[in-house]
């Protein structure tokens, strides 16, 4: 594992962050399969993080329960929001979700200050409880492994869903809702289910983040995090889950390299995004696979309607 | 009993009466033509039947069951499939995948459950291959639907609708933009579908195709039904000639 190769607090921290971003990017991309760009993704993560932290600190639930509760609460919010707004198309859904992200951030920092801690957020979020003698501390190797395991499970399940028949339906919904409805697909149901799954993953990512980071504030979950994740997905290439994984790696590396010039970080995201849009519209992954497939491209056969006269018998 | 029955179907858009109290019956295993000049309300009738619009008044019965309040995906599940006037395909997906999506409602349970039922998905795939073979399109099954030539895109559109095993197939100008050979090929395919037990409602501007392949024709004008008869009688119906054809030569050329 990478931290074993490059040990140290900093490396573990960075790699744990990679896992968090991977989960976010993969779940955002999953929602984007139905053609909806969820700009409130960071907000849903925040809901999960706060839900988990509050439940652990006030009701003393175990992390292993609040981990899922954070996801479920986030998913319920996603269900309500999705049922109302997923009928909107294209840029309108994007705008509404942008508004939701801000509403969540402002609500988290201005209401129930006694519980949610206002602008200073919540500190000393408890760590995951020990399991079979394995302890989890902040930035410990075990916490990193925990993040890796959860992240892998999430990525694998999303990959499996996407590549089954279910994924085909999602792709066809993003291509033409009208056609899907005409063949009996209840498109709004599928869209809501996908959105709820995406929000659930954002929520559990938040729960994990709250414990591993020990401290959460509402300003961790602003639209700029949503933006960062969105840039990761687009930069890496939306067509495949590998695109999201690559996009996160590239942008985290850029971010770490640019840390000394933190002010310029968003500029670097912007420039790299523009470069990709201009020169490789299908993202890094699409760019690479296109070159690979060009090498083995087969010529297509001649197309004449009714090439061989076979009919329904 | 009629397979589909329209009773006094009316559709109003604001102040415009697009369809005005239409009564119409479609009997099992017939090819019924629906014609009329542009703006006569053909496509509106179509959209009312398949649930894209809800009619303002009147009722639509499928085998005696009221369907005019249902949504389009529910109507599709009842066994009414449609094609579109302007081709709508899943352009970036393979032709085979288009057909598989088309067979969503086929079989006992909805295919979505085949996320856990791989065998059923494979059966749907195999069946999609059979459908494409029947349409003579198996050679292009792995091409992206958007890359097909126009004629084959129109055929794919029909194949998607057929894949759901409909009782009633609504074809909205299936042969638009095709050459004579392609028209004959497509209409022969439609005829074969009828022989398999699918009832067909055909909206078409191509008079030759309508006159040759339909058993009965309903003529609309300004949202009203002005004639319903066999092709020969429609051809000589005074109202039809006046409203739609302008001059009788229209029917006799080419």
């Amino acid at each position: 594992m990478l931290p074993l190769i490059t040990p140290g607090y900093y490396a573990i921290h960075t790699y744990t962050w990679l896992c968090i971003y991977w989960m976010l990017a993969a779940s955002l991309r999953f929602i984007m399969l139905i053609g909806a760009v969820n700009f409130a993704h960071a907000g849903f993560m925040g809901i999960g993080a706060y839900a988990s932290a509050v439940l652990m600190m006030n009701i003393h639930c175990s992390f292993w329960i609040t981990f899922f509760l954070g996801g479920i609460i986030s998913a319920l919010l996603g269900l309500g929001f999705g049922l109302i707004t997923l009928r909107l198309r294209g840029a309108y859904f994007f705008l509404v979700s942008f508004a939701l992200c801000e509403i969540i951030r402002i609500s988290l920092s201005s209401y129930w200050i006694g519980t949610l801690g206002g602008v200073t957020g919540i500190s000393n979020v408890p760590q995951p409880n020990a399991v079979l003698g394995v302890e989890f501390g902040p930035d410990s190797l075990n916490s990193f492994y925990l993040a890796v395991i959860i992240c892998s499970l999430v990525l694998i399940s999303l990959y499996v869903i996407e590549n089954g028949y279910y994924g085909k339906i999602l792709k066809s919904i993003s291509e033409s809702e009208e056609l899907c409805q005409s063949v009996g697909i209840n498109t709004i149901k599928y869209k809501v289910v996908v959105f709820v799954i995406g929000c659930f993953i954002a929520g559990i990512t938040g729960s994990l983040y709250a414990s591993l980071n020990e401290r959460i504030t509402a300003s961790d979950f602003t639209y700029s995090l949503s933006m960062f994740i969105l840039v990761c997905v687009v930069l890496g290439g939306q067509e495949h889950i590998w695109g999201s994984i690559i996009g996160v790696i590239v942008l985290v590396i850029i971010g770490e390299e640019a840390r000394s010039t933190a002010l310029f970080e968003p500029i670097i995201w912007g420039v790299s995004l523009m470069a990709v849009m201009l020169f490789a519209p299908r993202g890094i992954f699409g760019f690479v696979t296109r070159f690979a497939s060009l090498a083995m491209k087969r010529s297509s056969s001649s197309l004449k309607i009714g090439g061989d006269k076979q009919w329904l018998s | 009993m009629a397979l589909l029955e329209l009773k006094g179907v009316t559709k109003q858009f604001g102040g415009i009466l697009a369809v005005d109290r239409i009564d119409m019956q479609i009997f099992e295993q017939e090819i019924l033509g629906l014609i009329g000049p542009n703006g006569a309300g053909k496509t509106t009738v179509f959209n009312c039947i398949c649930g894209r619009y809800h009619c303002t008044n009147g009722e639509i019965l499928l085998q005696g069951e009221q369907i005019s309040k249902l949504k389009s995906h529910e109507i599709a599940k009842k066994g009414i499939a449609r094609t579109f006037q302007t081709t709508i395909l899943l352009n970036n997906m393979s032709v085979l995948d288009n057909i598989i999506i088309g067979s969503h409602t086929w079989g006992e349970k909805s295919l979505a459950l085949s996320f856990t039922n791989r065998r059923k998905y494979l059966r749907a795939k195999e069946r999609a291959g059979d459908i494409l073979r029947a349409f003579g399109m198996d050679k292009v099954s792995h091409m992206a639907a958007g890359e097909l030539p126009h004629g084959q895109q129109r055929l794919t559109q029909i194949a998607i609708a057929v894949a759901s095993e409909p009782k009633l197939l609504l074809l909205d100008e299936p042969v638009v933009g095709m050459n004579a050979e392609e028209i004959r090929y497509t209409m022969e395919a439609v005829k074969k579908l009828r022989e398999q037990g699918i009832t067909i409602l055909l909206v078409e501007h191509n008079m030759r195709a309508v006159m040759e392949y339909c058993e009965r024709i309903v003529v609309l004008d300004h949202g009203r039904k002005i004639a319903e008869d066999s092709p020969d009688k429609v051809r000589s119906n005074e109202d039809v000639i006046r409203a739609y054809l302008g001059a009788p030569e229209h029917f006799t050329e080419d």
Side-chain angles (χ1 to χ4, degrees), chain A residues 168 175 178 190 303 311-312, chain B residues 52 91-92 97 112 121 134 140:
Chain A
K168 276 208 168 73
E175 293 219 13
E178 205 177 356
Y190 280 91
L303 303 167
W311 276 115
L312 293 163
Chain B
R52 195 165 159 208
N91 285 328
N92 296 317
D97 279 351
Y121 171 56
V140 295

Side-chain angles (χ1 to χ4, degrees), chain B residues 9-148:
Chain B
V9 168
T10 304
K11 177 69 194 175
Q12 209 166 352
F13 295 104
I16 298 163
L17 202 56
V19 174
D20 189 9
R21 282 164 291 160
I22 287 194
D23 296 306
M24 196 165 98
Q25 286 185 324
I26 305 174
F27 298 99
E28 290 203 17
Q29 290 209 43
E30 71 171 342
I31 301 183
L32 177 68
L34 183 64
I35 62 172
N38 285 326
K42 305 178 298 279
T43 301
T44 310
V45 169
F46 226 71
N47 283 332
C48 284
I49 295 173
C50 68
R52 195 165 159 208
Y53 301 151
H54 292 297
C55 43
T56 322
N57 250 318
E59 50 189 17
I60 301 171
L61 306 170
L62 178 69
Q63 291 175 322
E65 187 188 352
Q66 167 84 263
I67 59 163
S68 47
K69 298 279 187 291
L70 299 181
K71 295 187 180 116
S72 24
H73 65 89
E74 292 166 332
I75 288 178
K77 281 187 188 136
K78 297 265 179 214
I80 299 183
R82 70 165 298 181
T83 65
F84 297 89
Q85 197 169 346
T86 46
T87 314
I88 302 181
L89 297 176
L90 309 168
N91 285 328
N92 296 317
M93 293 167 75
S94 73
V95 175
L96 191 71
D97 279 351
N98 271 265
I99 311 296
I100 293 173
I101 290 293
S103 43
H104 184 76
T105 55
W106 164 76
E108 324 83 65
K109 274 185 198 160
S110 143
L111 247 179
L113 295 167
S114 66
F115 174 53
T116 52
N117 187 350
R118 188 155 176 80
R119 218 183 63 207
K120 180 153 179 159
Y121 171 56
L122 291 176
R123 262 170 53 213
K125 200 169 168 180
E126 203 175 297
R127 182 168 163 275
D130 291 343
I131 292 171
L132 282 177
R133 245 188 308 286
F135 277 85
M137 289 183 49
D138 46 331
K139 279 186 185 147
V140 295
S141 65
H142 290 283
M143 274 179 73
E147 289 170 11
L148 291 178

Side-chain angles (χ1 to χ4, degrees), chain A residues 167-188:
Chain A
K168 276 208 168 73
I169 296 181
L170 304 185
K171 200 177 167 205
S172 53
I173 288 175
S174 77
E175 293 219 13
S176 169
E177 271 189 60
E178 205 177 356
L179 182 74
C180 289
Q181 282 169 358
S182 83
V183 297
I185 296 174
N186 186 354
T187 52
I188 192 78

Side-chain angles (χ1 to χ4, degrees), chain A residues 103-179:
Chain A
I103 291 169
I104 292 174
R105 181 184 68 82
I106 293 166
S107 309
L108 289 177
S109 61
S110 0
Y111 295 104
W112 306 290
I113 291 175
T115 318
L116 300 183
V119 280
T120 53
I122 301 175
S123 306
N124 298 320
V125 180
Q127 295 302 305
N129 313 53
V131 174
L132 303 169
V134 181
E135 302 266 355
F136 299 98
D139 290 316
S140 72
L141 210 50
N142 286 341
S143 299
F144 164 70
Y145 288 141
L146 175 68
V148 169
I149 290 167
I150 293 172
C151 177
S152 322
L153 287 177
V154 164
L155 294 186
I156 291 167
S157 355
L158 289 181
Y159 180 83
V160 169
I161 295 177
E162 190 192 333
N163 285 280
Y165 178 69
Y166 209 89
K168 276 208 168 73
I169 296 181
L170 304 185
K171 200 177 167 205
S172 53
I173 288 175
S174 77
E175 293 219 13
S176 169
E177 271 189 60
E178 205 177 356
L179 182 74

Side-chain angles (χ1 to χ4, degrees), chain A residues 77-87 188-189 192 195-196:
Chain A
L77 181 72
L79 177 68
F81 180 71
L83 277 175
I84 301 167
T85 59
L86 279 170
R87 286 157 214 275
I188 192 78
K189 187 181 94 187
V192 169
F195 191 70
V196 166

